[in-house]
């Protein structure tokens, strides 16, 4: 992922004639096309990353107050300067980078990687990574947990494994939540990380 110069991250530049759908979805400056399912659109792939970031900032006000993370190197530089909790305003940052190394860095730093589609039906396939940093977390200490006998008896029918069925787990999450945050670019990054850990 290329890093977007700081000047691009400021609001106020013209969007080049693009418009917004009702509900705040971004519509590409080029022609609009309807799709039955989300798939990467050529119009987004052909746009320069800087122009795409300007379009997002221009049309979606909520992104103006969120921290933009260009890639793993930008995240590392930011963390060298100050703790993440001091830099962020709110729980979410955003990025146009889906490189597996960047997603791994986000997870290591405590972010939950979430993918969101901004294009909507008018221009599907505009995906943004929205890392979420929870300020409060629930941590379970297995040694301090009391598990009632009835629960243990029911649980004996199940087997807990780690790293054995990654794709099935991701498919199960997507089936449970629909692809509301597990869109194709994030799934591809997570699958690449899983495959690299097995290699």
């Amino acid at each position: 992922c290329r890093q977007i110069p700081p000047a691009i991250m400021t609001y106020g530049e013209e969007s080049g004639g693009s418009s917004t759908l009702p509900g705040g979805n971004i519509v590409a400056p080029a022609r609009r096309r309807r799709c039955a399912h989300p798939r990467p659109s050529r119009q987004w792939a052909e746009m320069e990353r800087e122009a795409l970031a300007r379009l997002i900032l221009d049309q979606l006000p909520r992104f103006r107050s969120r921290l933009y993370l260009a890639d793993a190197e930008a995240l590392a530089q930011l963390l060298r300067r100050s703790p993440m909790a001091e830099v962020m305003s709110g729980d979410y940052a955003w990025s146009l980078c889906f490189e597996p190394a960047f997603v791994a860095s986000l997870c290591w730093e405590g972010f939950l990687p979430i993918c969101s589609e901004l294009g909507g039906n008018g221009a599907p396939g505009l995906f943004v990574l929205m890392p979420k940093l929870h300020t409060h977390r629930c941590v379970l200490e297995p040694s301090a947990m009391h598990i009632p006998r009835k629960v243990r008896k029911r649980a004996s029918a199940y087997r807990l494994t780690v790293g054995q069925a990654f794709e099935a787990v991701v498919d199960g999450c997507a089936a449970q939540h629909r692809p509301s945050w597990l869109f194709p670019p994030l799934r591809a990054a997570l699958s690449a990380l899983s495959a690299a850990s097995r290699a």
Side-chain angles (χ1 to χ4, degrees):
C1 293
R2 292 179 306 192
Q3 186 164 351
I4 297 173
I8 300 300
M9 294 290 89
T10 58
Y11 175 69
E13 297 182 22
E14 291 300 316
S15 64
S18 57
S19 60
T20 304
L21 288 171
N25 290 328
I26 292 179
V27 177
R31 66 190 188 306
R32 296 178 187 140
R33 217 172 56 175
R34 285 215 166 261
C35 283
H37 54 85
R39 64 179 183 202
S41 174
R42 212 176 8 193
Q43 62 194 1
W44 302 123
E46 291 172 357
M47 286 184 77
E48 290 291 322
R49 189 171 303 257
E50 294 85 359
L52 191 53
R54 272 195 308 269
L55 184 65
I56 291 169
L57 289 172
D58 182 50
Q59 294 189 17
L60 296 172
R62 69 181 179 268
F63 280 82
R64 295 178 204 146
S65 63
R66 292 182 179 159
L67 176 67
Y68 179 77
L69 298 170
D71 54 21
E73 180 57 34
L75 176 63
Q77 287 175 4
L78 188 64
L79 290 170
R80 281 193 290 272
R81 286 187 297 212
S82 59
M84 190 57 67
E86 291 177 12
V87 178
M88 292 194 49
S89 60
D91 290 344
Y92 289 96
W94 71 286
S95 181
L96 296 172
C97 180
F98 286 90
E99 291 178 0
F102 178 54
V103 173
S105 295
L106 289 169
C107 292
W108 179 259
E109 295 300 335
F111 284 92
L112 172 65
I114 296 171
C115 182
S116 184
E117 183 178 25
L118 301 181
N121 290 334
L126 175 54
F127 298 105
V128 174
L129 185 63
M130 297 183 59
K132 184 173 184 181
L133 185 63
H134 295 275
T135 53
H136 301 285
R137 294 185 185 262
C138 177
V139 177
L140 298 176
E141 294 289 338
S143 61
M145 289 176 49
H146 169 71
I147 302 171
R149 189 178 323 160
K150 189 173 184 176
V151 172
R152 281 188 300 212
K153 186 175 181 179
R154 270 195 234 148
S156 66
Y158 298 96
R159 182 174 59 116
L160 176 65
T161 61
V162 176
Q164 300 296 310
F166 179 80
E167 294 297 330
V169 170
V170 172
D171 289 343
C173 290
Q176 177 70 27
H177 302 281
R178 287 176 246 118
S180 61
W181 64 277
L182 272 172
F183 285 105
L186 181 57
R187 286 183 75 156
L190 294 173
S191 293
L193 289 170
S194 174
S197 71
R198 290 190 306 267

